[in-house]
Coordinates of all heavy atoms in Angstrom, one line a residue:
Q3 N 1.3 5.7 -0.2 CA 0.6 6.8 0.3 C 0.6 7.8 -0.8 O 1.7 8.0 -1.4 CB 1.2 7.3 1.5 CG 1.4 6.3 2.6 CD 0.1 5.7 3.1 OE1 -0.7 6.4 3.6 NE2 0.0 4.4 3.0
K4 N -0.4 8.7 -1.0 CA -0.3 9.7 -2.0 C -0.7 11.0 -1.4 O -1.6 11.1 -0.5 CB -1.3 9.3 -3.2 CG -0.8 8.2 -4.0 CD -1.6 8.1 -5.3 CE -1.1 6.9 -6.0 NZ -1.0 7.2 -7.4
Q5 N -0.1 12.0 -1.9 CA -0.5 13.5 -1.6 C -0.7 14.1 -2.8 O 0.2 14.4 -3.7 CB 0.6 14.1 -0.8 CG 0.2 15.5 -0.3 CD 1.3 16.2 0.6 OE1 2.5 15.7 0.6 NE2 0.9 17.2 1.3
G6 N -2.1 14.3 -3.2 CA -2.3 14.8 -4.5 C -2.0 13.7 -5.5 O -2.4 12.6 -5.4
S7 N -1.2 14.0 -6.5 CA -0.7 13.1 -7.5 C 0.7 12.5 -7.2 O 1.2 11.7 -7.9 CB -0.8 13.6 -8.8 OG 0.2 14.8 -9.0
I8 N 1.2 13.0 -6.1 CA 2.6 12.4 -5.7 C 2.5 11.2 -4.9 O 1.8 11.1 -3.8 CB 3.3 13.6 -4.9 CG1 3.4 14.9 -5.7 CG2 4.7 13.2 -4.5 CD1 3.9 16.1 -4.9
D9 N 3.3 10.2 -5.5 CA 3.4 9.0 -4.7 C 4.4 9.1 -3.6 O 5.7 9.3 -3.9 CB 3.7 7.8 -5.6 CG 3.7 6.4 -4.9 OD1 3.5 6.3 -3.6 OD2 3.9 5.4 -5.6
L10 N 4.0 9.0 -2.3 CA 5.0 9.2 -1.2 C 5.7 7.8 -0.8 O 6.7 7.9 0.0 CB 4.3 9.7 0.0 CG 3.6 11.1 -0.2 CD1 2.9 11.6 1.0 CD2 4.7 12.2 -0.5
G11 N 5.3 6.7 -1.3 CA 5.8 5.5 -1.0 C 5.0 4.7 0.0 O 4.0 5.2 0.5
T12 N 5.6 3.6 0.5 CA 4.9 2.8 1.5 C 5.0 3.5 2.8 O 5.9 4.3 3.0 CB 5.5 1.4 1.5 OG1 6.9 1.5 1.9 CG2 5.4 0.7 0.2
R13 N 4.4 2.9 3.9 CA 4.6 3.6 5.2 C 6.1 3.3 5.7 O 6.6 4.2 6.3 CB 3.6 2.9 6.2 CG 2.2 3.2 6.0 CD 1.3 2.6 7.0 NE 1.2 1.2 6.8 CZ 0.5 0.3 7.4 NH1 -0.3 0.7 8.4 NH2 0.6 -0.9 7.1
R14 N 6.6 2.1 5.3 CA 8.0 1.9 5.7 C 8.9 2.9 5.0 O 9.8 3.4 5.6 CB 8.3 0.4 5.3 CG 9.6 0.0 5.7 CD 9.9 -1.3 5.1 NE 11.2 -1.8 5.3 CZ 11.7 -2.4 6.5 NH1 10.9 -2.5 7.5 NH2 13.1 -2.6 6.5
E15 N 8.7 3.1 3.8 CA 9.5 4.1 3.0 C 9.5 5.5 3.6 O 10.4 6.3 3.7 CB 9.2 4.0 1.6 CG 9.7 2.8 0.8 CD 9.0 2.6 -0.6 OE1 8.1 3.3 -0.9 OE2 9.6 1.8 -1.4
I16 N 8.2 5.8 4.0 CA 8.0 7.2 4.5 C 8.8 7.3 5.9 O 9.5 8.3 6.1 CB 6.6 7.5 4.7 CG1 5.8 7.6 3.4 CG2 6.3 8.8 5.5 CD1 4.3 7.7 3.5
A17 N 8.6 6.3 6.7 CA 9.3 6.3 8.0 C 10.8 6.3 7.7 O 11.6 7.0 8.5 CB 8.9 5.0 8.8
Q18 N 11.4 5.5 6.8 CA 12.8 5.5 6.5 C 13.3 6.9 6.1 O 14.3 7.4 6.4 CB 13.1 4.5 5.5 CG 13.1 2.9 6.1 CD 13.2 1.9 5.0 OE1 12.7 2.2 3.9 NE2 13.8 0.8 5.3
N19 N 12.4 7.5 5.1 CA 12.9 8.8 4.6 C 12.8 9.8 5.7 O 13.7 10.7 5.7 CB 11.9 9.2 3.4 CG 12.0 8.4 2.3 OD1 13.1 7.8 2.0 ND2 11.0 8.4 1.4
A20 N 12.0 9.7 6.6 CA 11.9 10.7 7.8 C 13.1 10.5 8.7 O 13.8 11.5 9.1 CB 10.7 10.5 8.6
Q21 N 13.5 9.2 8.9 CA 14.8 9.0 9.7 C 16.0 9.5 9.0 O 16.8 10.2 9.7 CB 14.8 7.5 10.0 CG 13.7 7.0 10.9 CD 13.7 5.5 10.9 OE1 14.5 4.8 11.6 NE2 12.9 4.8 10.2
V22 N 16.1 9.3 7.8 CA 17.3 9.7 7.0 C 17.3 11.3 7.0 O 18.4 11.8 7.2 CB 17.3 9.2 5.6 CG1 18.4 9.9 4.7 CG2 17.6 7.7 5.6
A23 N 16.2 11.9 6.9 CA 16.1 13.4 6.9 C 16.5 14.0 8.3 O 17.3 15.0 8.4 CB 14.7 13.9 6.6
L24 N 16.2 13.2 9.4 CA 16.7 13.6 10.6 C 18.3 13.6 10.7 O 18.8 14.4 11.3 CB 16.1 12.8 11.8 CG 16.5 13.0 13.2 CD1 16.2 14.4 13.6 CD2 15.9 12.0 14.1
V25 N 18.9 12.4 10.3 CA 20.2 12.3 10.3 C 20.9 13.5 9.5 O 21.8 14.0 10.0 CB 20.6 10.9 9.7 CG1 22.1 10.8 9.6 CG2 20.1 9.8 10.7
D26 N 20.3 13.7 8.3 CA 20.9 14.7 7.4 C 20.8 16.1 8.1 O 21.8 16.9 8.0 CB 20.1 14.8 6.1 CG 20.5 13.6 5.2 OD1 21.5 12.9 5.3 OD2 19.7 13.3 4.2
S27 N 19.8 16.4 8.8 CA 19.6 17.6 9.5 C 20.6 17.8 10.7 O 21.2 18.8 10.8 CB 18.1 17.7 10.1 OG 18.0 18.9 10.8
L28 N 20.9 16.7 11.4 CA 21.8 16.7 12.5 C 23.2 17.0 11.9 O 24.0 17.7 12.4 CB 21.8 15.5 13.3 CG 20.5 15.2 14.1 CD1 20.5 13.8 14.6 CD2 20.4 16.2 15.2
V29 N 23.5 16.3 10.8 CA 24.8 16.4 10.2 C 25.0 17.8 9.7 O 26.0 18.6 9.9 CB 25.0 15.4 9.0 CG1 26.3 15.7 8.1 CG2 25.0 14.1 9.5
S30 N 24.0 18.4 8.8 CA 24.1 19.8 8.4 C 24.2 20.7 9.4 O 24.8 21.9 9.2 CB 22.9 20.0 7.4 OG 21.7 20.3 8.2
K31 N 23.7 20.6 10.6 CA 23.8 21.5 11.7 C 25.1 21.3 12.6 O 25.3 22.1 13.4 CB 22.6 21.5 12.6 CG 21.3 22.0 11.9 CD 20.1 21.7 12.8 CE 18.8 22.4 12.3 NZ 18.5 22.4 11.0
G32 N 25.8 20.3 12.2 CA 27.0 20.1 13.0 C 26.8 19.6 14.3 O 27.7 19.8 15.3
I33 N 25.7 19.0 14.6 CA 25.3 18.6 16.1 C 26.1 17.2 16.3 O 26.1 16.2 15.5 CB 23.8 18.4 16.1 CG1 23.1 19.7 16.0 CG2 23.5 17.7 17.5 CD1 21.6 19.6 16.0
N34 N 26.8 17.3 17.4 CA 27.6 16.1 17.8 C 26.7 15.0 18.5 O 26.5 15.1 19.6 CB 28.7 16.6 18.8 CG 29.7 15.4 19.1 OD1 29.7 14.5 18.4 ND2 30.3 15.6 20.2
A35 N 26.1 14.2 17.6 CA 25.2 13.2 18.1 C 25.7 11.8 17.8 O 26.5 11.6 16.9 CB 23.8 13.4 17.3
R36 N 25.2 10.9 18.6 CA 25.4 9.4 18.4 C 24.1 8.8 18.2 O 23.1 9.0 18.8 CB 26.1 8.7 19.5 CG 27.5 9.3 19.9 CD 28.3 8.6 20.9 NE 27.5 8.5 22.2 CZ 27.6 7.5 23.0 NH1 28.3 6.5 22.7 NH2 26.8 7.5 24.1
I37 N 24.0 8.1 17.1 CA 22.7 7.5 16.7 C 22.7 6.0 16.7 O 23.7 5.4 16.1 CB 22.3 8.0 15.3 CG1 22.2 9.5 15.3 CG2 20.9 7.4 14.8 CD1 22.0 10.2 13.9
G38 N 21.7 5.4 17.3 CA 21.5 3.9 17.2 C 20.2 3.6 16.5 O 19.3 4.5 16.5
V39 N 20.1 2.5 16.0 CA 18.9 2.0 15.3 C 18.4 0.7 15.8 O 19.1 -0.2 15.9 CB 19.1 1.9 13.6 CG1 17.9 1.5 13.0 CG2 19.8 3.3 13.2
V40 N 17.1 0.6 16.1 CA 16.5 -0.5 16.7 C 15.3 -0.7 15.8 O 14.6 0.1 15.4 CB 16.1 -0.4 18.1 CG1 15.1 -1.3 18.6 CG2 17.2 -0.1 19.1
Q41 N 15.0 -2.1 15.6 CA 13.7 -2.4 14.8 C 13.0 -3.4 15.7 O 13.5 -4.2 16.3 CB 14.2 -3.1 13.4 CG 13.1 -3.2 12.5 CD 13.6 -3.7 11.1 OE1 14.3 -4.7 11.1 NE2 13.2 -3.0 10.1
F42 N 11.6 -3.3 15.5 CA 10.8 -4.2 16.1 C 9.6 -4.8 15.3 O 9.2 -4.1 14.4 CB 10.2 -3.7 17.5 CG 9.4 -2.5 17.3 CD1 8.0 -2.7 17.3 CD2 9.9 -1.2 17.3 CE1 7.1 -1.5 17.1 CE2 9.0 -0.1 17.2 CZ 7.7 -0.3 17.1
G43 N 9.3 -6.0 15.6 CA 8.0 -6.7 15.1 C 7.4 -7.3 16.3 O 7.1 -6.7 17.2
G44 N 7.4 -8.6 16.2 CA 7.0 -9.4 17.4 C 8.1 -9.3 18.6 O 7.8 -9.5 19.7
L45 N 9.3 -9.2 18.1 CA 10.4 -9.1 18.9 C 11.2 -7.8 18.6 O 10.7 -7.1 17.6 CB 11.5 -10.3 18.8 CG 10.9 -11.6 19.1 CD1 11.9 -12.8 18.8 CD2 10.6 -11.7 20.5
S46 N 12.3 -7.5 19.3 CA 13.1 -6.3 18.8 C 14.5 -6.5 18.9 O 15.0 -7.4 19.7 CB 12.8 -5.2 19.9 OG 13.3 -4.0 19.5
M47 N 15.3 -5.9 18.0 CA 16.8 -6.1 17.8 C 17.3 -4.8 17.4 O 16.7 -4.0 16.8 CB 17.0 -7.1 16.7 CG 16.4 -8.5 16.9 SD 16.8 -9.5 15.5 CE 15.9 -11.0 15.9
Q48 N 18.6 -4.7 18.0 CA 19.4 -3.6 17.6 C 20.0 -3.8 16.2 O 20.6 -4.8 16.0 CB 20.5 -3.4 18.7 CG 21.5 -2.2 18.3 CD 22.5 -2.2 19.4 OE1 22.3 -1.6 20.5 NE2 23.7 -2.6 19.0
K49 N 19.8 -2.8 15.3 CA 20.3 -2.9 14.0 C 21.7 -2.1 13.9 O 22.5 -2.4 13.2 CB 19.5 -2.2 12.9 CG 18.2 -3.0 12.7 CD 17.3 -2.3 11.6 CE 17.7 -2.6 10.2 NZ 16.8 -2.0 9.2
R50 N 21.8 -1.1 14.8 CA 23.1 -0.3 14.8 C 23.3 0.2 16.2 O 22.4 0.9 16.8 CB 23.0 0.8 13.9 CG 24.2 1.7 13.7 CD 25.3 1.1 12.8 NE 26.5 1.7 12.8 CZ 27.6 1.3 12.3 NH1 27.5 0.2 11.7 NH2 28.7 1.9 12.4
A51 N 24.5 0.0 16.8 CA 24.7 0.6 18.2 C 24.9 2.1 18.0 O 25.1 2.6 16.9 CB 26.0 -0.1 18.7
L52 N 24.9 2.8 19.2 CA 25.2 4.1 19.2 C 26.4 4.5 18.4 O 27.5 4.0 18.6 CB 25.3 4.7 20.5 CG 24.0 4.8 21.3 CD1 24.3 5.3 22.7 CD2 23.0 5.7 20.6
T53 N 26.4 5.3 17.3 CA 27.4 5.6 16.4 C 27.5 7.1 16.2 O 26.6 7.8 15.9 CB 27.2 5.0 15.0 OG1 26.9 3.6 15.2 CG2 28.4 5.2 14.1
P54 N 28.7 7.7 16.5 CA 28.9 9.2 16.3 C 28.8 9.6 14.9 O 29.4 8.9 14.0 CB 30.3 9.4 17.0 CG 31.0 8.1 16.9 CD 30.0 7.1 16.9
I55 N 28.3 10.8 14.7 CA 28.2 11.3 13.3 C 29.3 12.2 13.1 O 29.6 12.6 11.9 CB 26.9 11.9 13.0 CG1 26.5 13.1 13.8 CG2 25.7 10.9 12.9 CD1 25.2 13.7 13.4
L56 N 29.9 12.7 14.1 CA 31.1 13.6 14.0 C 32.4 13.0 14.6 O 32.3 12.2 15.6 CB 30.9 14.9 14.7 CG 29.8 15.8 14.3 CD1 29.7 17.0 15.2 CD2 29.8 16.1 12.9
D57 N 33.6 13.2 14.1 CA 34.8 12.8 14.7 C 35.1 13.7 15.9 O 34.4 14.7 16.1 CB 36.0 12.9 13.6 CG 35.8 11.8 12.5 OD1 35.3 10.7 12.9 OD2 36.2 12.0 11.5
E58 N 36.2 13.4 16.7 CA 36.5 14.1 17.8 C 36.9 15.6 17.4 O 36.8 16.5 18.3 CB 37.6 13.4 18.5 CG 37.2 12.2 19.3 CD 38.3 11.6 20.0 OE1 39.4 12.2 20.3 OE2 38.2 10.3 20.4
D59 N 37.3 15.8 16.2 CA 37.8 17.2 15.7 C 36.6 18.0 15.2 O 36.7 19.0 14.7 CB 38.9 17.0 14.6 CG 38.4 16.3 13.4 OD1 37.2 15.8 13.3 OD2 39.3 16.1 12.5
G60 N 35.3 17.3 15.3 CA 34.1 18.0 14.9 C 33.8 17.9 13.4 O 32.8 18.5 12.9
K61 N 34.5 17.0 12.6 CA 34.3 16.9 11.3 C 33.3 15.7 11.0 O 33.4 14.8 11.9 CB 35.5 16.7 10.5 CG 36.4 18.0 10.4 CD 37.6 17.7 9.6 CE 38.4 19.0 9.6 NZ 39.7 18.8 9.0
V62 N 32.5 15.7 10.0 CA 31.5 14.7 9.7 C 32.4 13.4 9.3 O 33.3 13.5 8.6 CB 30.7 15.1 8.6 CG1 29.7 13.9 8.2 CG2 29.8 16.3 9.0
N63 N 31.8 12.3 10.1 CA 32.4 11.0 9.8 C 31.5 10.4 8.9 O 30.5 9.8 9.1 CB 32.5 10.2 11.2 CG 33.2 8.8 10.9 OD1 32.9 8.2 9.8 ND2 34.0 8.4 11.9
Q64 N 31.9 10.5 7.6 CA 30.9 10.2 6.5 C 30.8 8.6 6.5 O 29.6 8.1 6.2 CB 31.4 10.5 5.1 CG 30.4 10.5 4.0 CD 29.1 11.2 4.4 OE1 29.1 12.5 4.7 NE2 27.9 10.6 4.2

Side-chain angles (χ1 to χ4, degrees):
Q3 312 297 304
K4 292 190 178 222
Q5 183 174 19
S7 63
I8 300 170
D9 184 358
L10 300 174
T12 65
R13 292 181 292 182
R14 179 183 176 88
E15 290 167 339
I16 293 167
Q18 288 170 322
N19 291 340
Q21 293 169 75
V22 167
L24 175 61
V25 172
D26 288 341
S27 178
L28 293 170
V29 168
S30 72
K31 290 175 175 35
I33 295 175
N34 187 14
R36 294 185 308 146
I37 299 172
V39 180
V40 169
Q41 191 174 52
F42 63 93
L45 299 172
S46 184
M47 297 177 193
Q48 178 180 283
K49 289 181 86 172
R50 182 84 190 168
L52 289 178
T53 304
I55 59 175
L56 300 180
D57 288 327
E58 289 181 17
D59 61 4
K61 293 184 179 169
V62 174
N63 183 320
Q64 196 55 54

